[in-house]
């Protein structure tokens, strides 16, 4: 699933995000969504979320059960 549509993102989902400091390299960080920070229905660069460990970034991919979601 795409990370650009807010309705696809729910608390508790496992996602890959790009942190602000990693935007130049595109390095992904995997975590579980704690809060959804973007208010609009979609965003071309990804919905901004806060992970359970406190990191904030834009969702690049939603991890499905077949990809290893717990």
């Amino acid at each position: 699933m795409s990370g650009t549509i807010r309705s696809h993102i729910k608390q508790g989902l496992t996602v890959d995000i790009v942190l602000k400091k990693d935007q130049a390299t595109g390095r992904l960080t995997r975590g579980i969504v704690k809060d959804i920070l973007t208010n609009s229905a979609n965003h071309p660069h990804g919905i901004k979320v806060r992970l359970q460990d406190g990191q904030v970034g834009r969702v690049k991919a939603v991890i499905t059960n077949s990809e290893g979601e717990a």
Side-chain angles (χ1 to χ4, degrees):
M1 265 193 287
S2 170
T4 61
I5 301 171
R6 191 176 194 274
S7 63
H8 290 175
I9 312 299
K10 306 281 186 222
Q11 288 181 332
L13 279 181
T14 301
V15 295
D16 284 339
I17 67 169
V18 173
L19 302 173
K20 183 76 170 176
K21 68 177 184 154
D22 294 330
Q23 283 179 343
T25 63
R27 179 176 177 270
L28 297 176
T29 302
R30 185 163 289 182
I32 298 172
V33 176
K34 178 180 178 184
D35 299 309
I36 300 171
L37 304 177
T38 299
N39 289 323
S40 61
N42 56 50
H43 191 284
H45 301 296
I47 301 300
K48 190 179 279 190
V49 298
R50 178 179 296 115
L51 301 180
Q52 286 183 342
D53 63 5
Q55 297 183 94
V56 174
R58 294 200 180 271
V59 177
K60 294 300 175 185
V62 176
I63 308 305
T64 62
N65 287 335
S66 62
E67 297 175 83
E69 183 176 331

